mmCIF file of all heavy atoms in Angstrom:
data_model
loop_
_atom_site.group_PDB
_atom_site.id
_atom_site.type_symbol
_atom_site.label_atom_id
_atom_site.label_comp_id
_atom_site.label_asym_id
_atom_site.label_seq_id
_atom_site.Cartn_x
_atom_site.Cartn_y
_atom_site.Cartn_z
ATOM 1 N N LEU A 1 83.620 110.635 108.788
ATOM 2 C CA LEU A 1 84.902 110.779 109.418
ATOM 3 C C LEU A 1 86.045 110.543 108.397
ATOM 4 O O LEU A 1 87.132 111.105 108.457
ATOM 5 C CB LEU A 1 85.067 109.976 110.676
ATOM 6 C CG LEU A 1 84.311 110.380 111.913
ATOM 7 C CD1 LEU A 1 84.470 109.346 112.992
ATOM 8 C CD2 LEU A 1 84.856 111.752 112.421
ATOM 9 N N TYR A 2 85.844 109.625 107.456
ATOM 10 C CA TYR A 2 86.850 109.233 106.562
ATOM 11 C C TYR A 2 86.447 109.470 105.126
ATOM 12 O O TYR A 2 87.048 108.892 104.167
ATOM 13 C CB TYR A 2 87.152 107.808 106.761
ATOM 14 C CG TYR A 2 87.725 107.457 108.104
ATOM 15 C CD1 TYR A 2 87.012 106.713 109.002
ATOM 16 C CD2 TYR A 2 89.003 107.922 108.518
ATOM 17 C CE1 TYR A 2 87.494 106.399 110.314
ATOM 18 C CE2 TYR A 2 89.532 107.613 109.737
ATOM 19 C CZ TYR A 2 88.756 106.916 110.625
ATOM 20 O OH TYR A 2 89.273 106.613 111.944
ATOM 21 N N ALA A 3 85.419 110.310 104.851
ATOM 22 C CA ALA A 3 85.028 110.605 103.484
ATOM 23 C C ALA A 3 86.104 111.255 102.680
ATOM 24 O O ALA A 3 86.257 111.037 101.489
ATOM 25 C CB ALA A 3 83.773 111.422 103.539
ATOM 26 N N ARG A 4 86.934 112.089 103.287
ATOM 27 C CA ARG A 4 87.981 112.748 102.611
ATOM 28 C C ARG A 4 89.356 112.151 102.770
ATOM 29 O O ARG A 4 90.363 112.713 102.344
ATOM 30 C CB ARG A 4 88.050 114.234 103.075
ATOM 31 C CG ARG A 4 86.786 115.045 102.830
ATOM 32 C CD ARG A 4 86.934 116.507 103.316
ATOM 33 N NE ARG A 4 85.717 117.282 103.089
ATOM 34 C CZ ARG A 4 85.617 118.557 103.387
ATOM 35 N NH1 ARG A 4 86.678 119.189 103.958
ATOM 36 N NH2 ARG A 4 84.435 119.219 103.164
ATOM 37 N N ALA A 5 89.451 110.949 103.440
ATOM 38 C CA ALA A 5 90.723 110.332 103.658
ATOM 39 C C ALA A 5 91.185 109.664 102.344
ATOM 40 O O ALA A 5 90.408 109.059 101.659
ATOM 41 C CB ALA A 5 90.608 109.292 104.760
ATOM 42 N N ALA A 6 92.522 109.804 102.077
ATOM 43 C CA ALA A 6 93.062 109.211 100.864
ATOM 44 C C ALA A 6 93.066 107.708 100.974
ATOM 45 O O ALA A 6 92.944 106.998 100.008
ATOM 46 C CB ALA A 6 94.416 109.799 100.612
ATOM 47 N N ASN A 7 93.351 107.235 102.217
ATOM 48 C CA ASN A 7 93.427 105.781 102.416
ATOM 49 C C ASN A 7 93.037 105.459 103.831
ATOM 50 O O ASN A 7 93.355 106.173 104.770
ATOM 51 C CB ASN A 7 94.886 105.325 102.100
ATOM 52 C CG ASN A 7 95.015 103.778 102.296
ATOM 53 O OD1 ASN A 7 94.076 103.058 102.039
ATOM 54 N ND2 ASN A 7 96.198 103.347 102.660
ATOM 55 N N VAL A 8 92.287 104.350 103.961
ATOM 56 C CA VAL A 8 91.901 103.855 105.274
ATOM 57 C C VAL A 8 92.758 102.668 105.654
ATOM 58 O O VAL A 8 92.758 101.633 104.924
ATOM 59 C CB VAL A 8 90.386 103.425 105.293
ATOM 60 C CG1 VAL A 8 90.008 102.785 106.597
ATOM 61 C CG2 VAL A 8 89.511 104.676 105.043
ATOM 62 N N VAL A 9 93.677 102.817 106.602
ATOM 63 C CA VAL A 9 94.581 101.851 107.020
ATOM 64 C C VAL A 9 93.864 100.616 107.596
ATOM 65 O O VAL A 9 93.046 100.791 108.463
ATOM 66 C CB VAL A 9 95.650 102.369 107.973
ATOM 67 C CG1 VAL A 9 96.695 101.335 108.301
ATOM 68 C CG2 VAL A 9 96.328 103.573 107.440
ATOM 69 N N ARG A 10 94.226 99.386 107.136
ATOM 70 C CA ARG A 10 93.559 98.210 107.560
ATOM 71 C C ARG A 10 94.420 97.395 108.593
ATOM 72 O O ARG A 10 95.607 97.759 108.754
ATOM 73 C CB ARG A 10 93.229 97.286 106.361
ATOM 74 C CG ARG A 10 92.400 97.993 105.312
ATOM 75 C CD ARG A 10 91.783 97.036 104.338
ATOM 76 N NE ARG A 10 90.844 97.747 103.455
ATOM 77 C CZ ARG A 10 89.876 97.153 102.792
ATOM 78 N NH1 ARG A 10 89.703 95.850 102.939
ATOM 79 N NH2 ARG A 10 89.047 97.829 101.986
ATOM 80 N N TYR A 11 93.822 96.458 109.147
ATOM 81 C CA TYR A 11 94.466 95.573 110.125
ATOM 82 C C TYR A 11 95.546 94.717 109.459
ATOM 83 O O TYR A 11 95.378 94.253 108.298
ATOM 84 C CB TYR A 11 93.479 94.685 110.821
ATOM 85 C CG TYR A 11 94.049 93.507 111.497
ATOM 86 C CD1 TYR A 11 94.719 93.652 112.726
ATOM 87 C CD2 TYR A 11 93.871 92.190 110.985
ATOM 88 C CE1 TYR A 11 95.293 92.512 113.389
ATOM 89 C CE2 TYR A 11 94.475 91.102 111.670
ATOM 90 C CZ TYR A 11 95.159 91.261 112.840
ATOM 91 O OH TYR A 11 95.666 90.170 113.478
ATOM 92 N N GLU A 12 96.673 94.526 110.147
ATOM 93 C CA GLU A 12 97.798 93.763 109.667
ATOM 94 C C GLU A 12 98.092 92.643 110.676
ATOM 95 O O GLU A 12 98.433 92.972 111.833
ATOM 96 C CB GLU A 12 99.013 94.635 109.459
ATOM 97 C CG GLU A 12 100.248 93.830 109.074
ATOM 98 C CD GLU A 12 101.502 94.741 109.081
ATOM 99 O OE1 GLU A 12 101.360 95.948 109.166
ATOM 100 O OE2 GLU A 12 102.600 94.176 108.920
ATOM 101 N N GLY A 13 98.033 91.387 110.284
ATOM 102 C CA GLY A 13 98.320 90.311 111.191
ATOM 103 C C GLY A 13 97.508 89.057 110.914
ATOM 104 O O GLY A 13 96.789 88.989 109.943
ATOM 105 N N PRO A 14 97.613 88.057 111.784
ATOM 106 C CA PRO A 14 96.850 86.798 111.621
ATOM 107 C C PRO A 14 95.366 87.006 111.890
ATOM 108 O O PRO A 14 94.914 88.087 112.283
ATOM 109 C CB PRO A 14 97.500 85.876 112.669
ATOM 110 C CG PRO A 14 98.014 86.779 113.746
ATOM 111 C CD PRO A 14 98.467 88.025 113.044
ATOM 112 N N GLU A 15 94.604 85.967 111.652
ATOM 113 C CA GLU A 15 93.155 86.059 111.767
ATOM 114 C C GLU A 15 92.724 86.375 113.220
ATOM 115 O O GLU A 15 91.874 87.234 113.473
ATOM 116 C CB GLU A 15 92.508 84.781 111.259
ATOM 117 C CG GLU A 15 90.981 84.867 111.203
ATOM 118 C CD GLU A 15 90.360 83.551 110.670
ATOM 119 O OE1 GLU A 15 91.174 82.678 110.262
ATOM 120 O OE2 GLU A 15 89.125 83.456 110.590
ATOM 121 N N HIS A 16 93.209 85.618 114.132
ATOM 122 C CA HIS A 16 92.922 85.842 115.551
ATOM 123 C C HIS A 16 94.268 85.916 116.348
ATOM 124 O O HIS A 16 94.760 84.907 116.807
ATOM 125 C CB HIS A 16 92.028 84.718 116.126
ATOM 126 C CG HIS A 16 90.728 84.575 115.420
ATOM 127 N ND1 HIS A 16 89.774 85.599 115.456
ATOM 128 C CD2 HIS A 16 90.177 83.568 114.681
ATOM 129 C CE1 HIS A 16 88.754 85.211 114.741
ATOM 130 N NE2 HIS A 16 88.961 84.054 114.309
ATOM 131 N N PRO A 17 94.839 87.107 116.459
ATOM 132 C CA PRO A 17 96.159 87.192 117.080
ATOM 133 C C PRO A 17 96.103 87.028 118.605
ATOM 134 O O PRO A 17 95.038 87.267 119.262
ATOM 135 C CB PRO A 17 96.588 88.640 116.733
ATOM 136 C CG PRO A 17 95.285 89.426 116.588
ATOM 137 C CD PRO A 17 94.271 88.394 116.045
ATOM 138 N N ARG A 18 97.177 86.545 119.135
ATOM 139 C CA ARG A 18 97.270 86.537 120.620
ATOM 140 C C ARG A 18 97.423 87.903 121.209
ATOM 141 O O ARG A 18 96.855 88.194 122.232
ATOM 142 C CB ARG A 18 98.448 85.589 121.019
ATOM 143 C CG ARG A 18 98.325 84.188 120.524
ATOM 144 C CD ARG A 18 99.465 83.331 121.086
ATOM 145 N NE ARG A 18 99.492 83.352 122.567
ATOM 146 C CZ ARG A 18 100.499 82.930 123.285
ATOM 147 N NH1 ARG A 18 101.602 82.465 122.696
ATOM 148 N NH2 ARG A 18 100.445 82.925 124.632
ATOM 149 N N LEU A 19 98.207 88.746 120.555
ATOM 150 C CA LEU A 19 98.380 90.149 121.034
ATOM 151 C C LEU A 19 98.079 91.102 119.858
ATOM 152 O O LEU A 19 98.557 90.886 118.708
ATOM 153 C CB LEU A 19 99.825 90.380 121.434
ATOM 154 C CG LEU A 19 100.360 89.654 122.677
ATOM 155 C CD1 LEU A 19 101.791 90.073 123.017
ATOM 156 C CD2 LEU A 19 99.413 89.967 123.881
ATOM 157 N N LEU A 20 97.228 92.048 120.111
ATOM 158 C CA LEU A 20 96.860 93.070 119.186
ATOM 159 C C LEU A 20 97.436 94.404 119.576
ATOM 160 O O LEU A 20 97.107 94.932 120.650
ATOM 161 C CB LEU A 20 95.379 93.189 118.987
ATOM 162 C CG LEU A 20 94.896 94.342 118.074
ATOM 163 C CD1 LEU A 20 95.385 94.115 116.644
ATOM 164 C CD2 LEU A 20 93.404 94.511 118.077
ATOM 165 N N ILE A 21 98.392 94.964 118.780
ATOM 166 C CA ILE A 21 98.990 96.243 119.088
ATOM 167 C C ILE A 21 98.112 97.300 118.487
ATOM 168 O O ILE A 21 97.843 97.321 117.272
ATOM 169 C CB ILE A 21 100.407 96.310 118.549
ATOM 170 C CG1 ILE A 21 101.294 95.226 119.259
ATOM 171 C CG2 ILE A 21 100.995 97.645 118.770
ATOM 172 C CD1 ILE A 21 102.665 95.077 118.593
ATOM 173 N N LEU A 22 97.670 98.288 119.375
ATOM 174 C CA LEU A 22 96.848 99.414 118.898
ATOM 175 C C LEU A 22 97.688 100.625 119.065
ATOM 176 O O LEU A 22 98.081 101.073 120.140
ATOM 177 C CB LEU A 22 95.598 99.497 119.762
ATOM 178 C CG LEU A 22 94.670 100.634 119.391
ATOM 179 C CD1 LEU A 22 94.051 100.436 117.987
ATOM 180 C CD2 LEU A 22 93.513 100.848 120.411
ATOM 181 N N LEU A 23 97.938 101.274 117.934
ATOM 182 C CA LEU A 23 98.639 102.564 117.893
ATOM 183 C C LEU A 23 97.643 103.652 117.502
ATOM 184 O O LEU A 23 96.573 103.358 116.979
ATOM 185 C CB LEU A 23 99.786 102.516 116.891
ATOM 186 C CG LEU A 23 100.926 101.492 117.230
ATOM 187 C CD1 LEU A 23 101.992 101.594 116.137
ATOM 188 C CD2 LEU A 23 101.496 101.693 118.539
ATOM 189 N N ALA A 24 98.083 104.919 117.713
ATOM 190 C CA ALA A 24 97.177 106.061 117.439
ATOM 191 C C ALA A 24 96.900 106.165 115.963
ATOM 192 O O ALA A 24 95.740 106.174 115.478
ATOM 193 C CB ALA A 24 97.733 107.352 118.037
ATOM 194 N N ALA A 25 97.941 106.244 115.177
ATOM 195 C CA ALA A 25 97.787 106.413 113.729
ATOM 196 C C ALA A 25 99.172 106.047 113.101
ATOM 197 O O ALA A 25 100.219 105.972 113.707
ATOM 198 C CB ALA A 25 97.461 107.868 113.398
ATOM 199 N N PRO A 26 99.140 105.754 111.748
ATOM 200 C CA PRO A 26 100.390 105.451 111.080
ATOM 201 C C PRO A 26 101.381 106.628 111.168
ATOM 202 O O PRO A 26 100.967 107.781 111.005
ATOM 203 C CB PRO A 26 99.983 105.171 109.630
ATOM 204 C CG PRO A 26 98.513 104.891 109.733
ATOM 205 C CD PRO A 26 97.983 105.623 110.861
ATOM 206 N N LYS A 27 102.596 106.288 111.372
ATOM 207 C CA LYS A 27 103.625 107.337 111.450
ATOM 208 C C LYS A 27 103.965 107.884 110.060
ATOM 209 O O LYS A 27 104.088 107.072 109.122
ATOM 210 C CB LYS A 27 104.879 106.776 112.165
ATOM 211 C CG LYS A 27 105.960 107.859 112.527
ATOM 212 C CD LYS A 27 107.090 107.304 113.261
ATOM 213 C CE LYS A 27 108.096 108.333 113.594
ATOM 214 N NZ LYS A 27 109.247 107.763 114.337
ATOM 215 N N PRO A 28 104.025 109.173 109.864
ATOM 216 C CA PRO A 28 104.382 109.649 108.497
ATOM 217 C C PRO A 28 105.730 109.141 108.076
ATOM 218 O O PRO A 28 106.761 109.123 108.739
ATOM 219 C CB PRO A 28 104.406 111.208 108.747
ATOM 220 C CG PRO A 28 103.590 111.452 109.973
ATOM 221 C CD PRO A 28 103.783 110.256 110.855
ATOM 222 N N GLY A 29 105.734 108.666 106.794
ATOM 223 C CA GLY A 29 106.969 108.119 106.240
ATOM 224 C C GLY A 29 107.132 106.643 106.445
ATOM 225 O O GLY A 29 108.070 106.053 105.914
ATOM 226 N N GLU A 30 106.318 105.990 107.329
ATOM 227 C CA GLU A 30 106.505 104.643 107.647
ATOM 228 C C GLU A 30 105.726 103.837 106.599
ATOM 229 O O GLU A 30 104.521 104.131 106.350
ATOM 230 C CB GLU A 30 105.937 104.298 109.038
ATOM 231 C CG GLU A 30 106.286 102.937 109.516
ATOM 232 C CD GLU A 30 105.836 102.835 111.036
ATOM 233 O OE1 GLU A 30 104.689 102.749 111.233
ATOM 234 O OE2 GLU A 30 106.746 102.781 111.914
ATOM 235 N N PRO A 31 106.283 102.777 106.002
ATOM 236 C CA PRO A 31 105.577 102.044 104.935
ATOM 237 C C PRO A 31 104.384 101.267 105.484
ATOM 238 O O PRO A 31 104.467 100.615 106.572
ATOM 239 C CB PRO A 31 106.601 101.047 104.405
ATOM 240 C CG PRO A 31 107.659 100.952 105.502
ATOM 241 C CD PRO A 31 107.679 102.247 106.197
ATOM 242 N N THR A 32 103.242 101.364 104.879
ATOM 243 C CA THR A 32 102.022 100.676 105.368
ATOM 244 C C THR A 32 102.091 99.189 105.039
ATOM 245 O O THR A 32 102.492 98.820 103.960
ATOM 246 C CB THR A 32 100.819 101.346 104.648
ATOM 247 O OG1 THR A 32 100.840 102.771 104.862
ATOM 248 C CG2 THR A 32 99.513 100.715 105.235
ATOM 249 N N GLY A 33 101.775 98.438 106.042
ATOM 250 C CA GLY A 33 101.762 97.013 105.886
ATOM 251 C C GLY A 33 103.036 96.320 106.293
ATOM 252 O O GLY A 33 103.107 95.121 106.315
ATOM 253 N N ASN A 34 104.086 97.147 106.692
ATOM 254 C CA ASN A 34 105.341 96.495 107.093
ATOM 255 C C ASN A 34 105.759 97.121 108.434
ATOM 256 O O ASN A 34 106.957 97.454 108.629
ATOM 257 C CB ASN A 34 106.441 96.809 106.065
ATOM 258 C CG ASN A 34 106.159 96.119 104.722
ATOM 259 O OD1 ASN A 34 105.760 94.962 104.661
ATOM 260 N ND2 ASN A 34 106.300 96.792 103.601
ATOM 261 N N PHE A 35 104.892 97.234 109.362
ATOM 262 C CA PHE A 35 105.199 97.826 110.706
ATOM 263 C C PHE A 35 106.254 97.005 111.413
ATOM 264 O O PHE A 35 107.188 97.566 112.087
ATOM 265 C CB PHE A 35 103.992 97.989 111.558
ATOM 266 C CG PHE A 35 104.258 98.383 113.017
ATOM 267 C CD1 PHE A 35 104.580 99.706 113.290
ATOM 268 C CD2 PHE A 35 104.211 97.447 113.963
ATOM 269 C CE1 PHE A 35 104.885 100.068 114.535
ATOM 270 C CE2 PHE A 35 104.481 97.837 115.282
ATOM 271 C CZ PHE A 35 104.827 99.120 115.562
ATOM 272 N N PHE A 36 106.124 95.683 111.406
ATOM 273 C CA PHE A 36 107.011 94.848 112.171
ATOM 274 C C PHE A 36 108.427 94.777 111.597
ATOM 275 O O PHE A 36 109.265 94.154 112.144
ATOM 276 C CB PHE A 36 106.411 93.453 112.335
ATOM 277 C CG PHE A 36 105.170 93.463 113.145
ATOM 278 C CD1 PHE A 36 103.916 93.206 112.598
ATOM 279 C CD2 PHE A 36 105.245 93.629 114.563
ATOM 280 C CE1 PHE A 36 102.799 93.155 113.407
ATOM 281 C CE2 PHE A 36 104.153 93.588 115.312
ATOM 282 C CZ PHE A 36 102.889 93.393 114.772
ATOM 283 N N GLN A 37 108.640 95.391 110.395
ATOM 284 C CA GLN A 37 110.004 95.525 109.848
ATOM 285 C C GLN A 37 110.613 96.811 110.118
ATOM 286 O O GLN A 37 111.753 97.053 109.793
ATOM 287 C CB GLN A 37 109.975 95.282 108.318
ATOM 288 C CG GLN A 37 109.850 93.855 107.904
ATOM 289 C CD GLN A 37 108.484 93.246 108.133
ATOM 290 O OE1 GLN A 37 107.478 93.919 107.852
ATOM 291 N NE2 GLN A 37 108.420 92.039 108.621
ATOM 292 N N SER A 38 109.875 97.699 110.832
ATOM 293 C CA SER A 38 110.429 99.018 111.235
ATOM 294 C C SER A 38 111.177 98.891 112.532
ATOM 295 O O SER A 38 111.041 97.868 113.248
ATOM 296 C CB SER A 38 109.261 100.077 111.409
ATOM 297 O OG SER A 38 108.414 99.623 112.468
ATOM 298 N N PRO A 39 112.034 99.840 112.946
ATOM 299 C CA PRO A 39 112.779 99.754 114.196
ATOM 300 C C PRO A 39 111.802 99.559 115.401
ATOM 301 O O PRO A 39 112.135 98.756 116.309
ATOM 302 C CB PRO A 39 113.568 101.072 114.301
ATOM 303 C CG PRO A 39 113.673 101.453 112.859
ATOM 304 C CD PRO A 39 112.409 100.998 112.121
ATOM 305 N N THR A 40 110.767 100.308 115.425
ATOM 306 C CA THR A 40 109.780 100.117 116.557
ATOM 307 C C THR A 40 109.123 98.785 116.546
ATOM 308 O O THR A 40 108.936 98.153 117.568
ATOM 309 C CB THR A 40 108.755 101.274 116.511
ATOM 310 O OG1 THR A 40 109.404 102.566 116.586
ATOM 311 C CG2 THR A 40 107.845 101.188 117.707
#
């Protein structure tokens, strides 16, 4: 499924979070690893 993917996005957050936010996929143009600094 990911053999041709340029990058596999990894989990961002603490080791055992109280809340895990699951989104469908990274938004185009959004910096990877800084989601909580975005407006959303």
Side-chain angles (χ1 to χ4, degrees):
L1 286 173
Y2 297 111
R4 298 182 180 180
N7 183 29
V8 174
V9 183
R10 303 195 174 202
Y11 162 73
E12 174 189 352
E15 185 177 358
H16 299 296
R18 298 184 61 193
L19 293 182
L20 175 63
I21 296 172
L22 179 66
L23 299 180
K27 190 176 181 181
E30 192 173 72
T32 305
N34 296 316
F35 170 78
F36 292 107
Q37 282 72 44
S38 65
T40 302

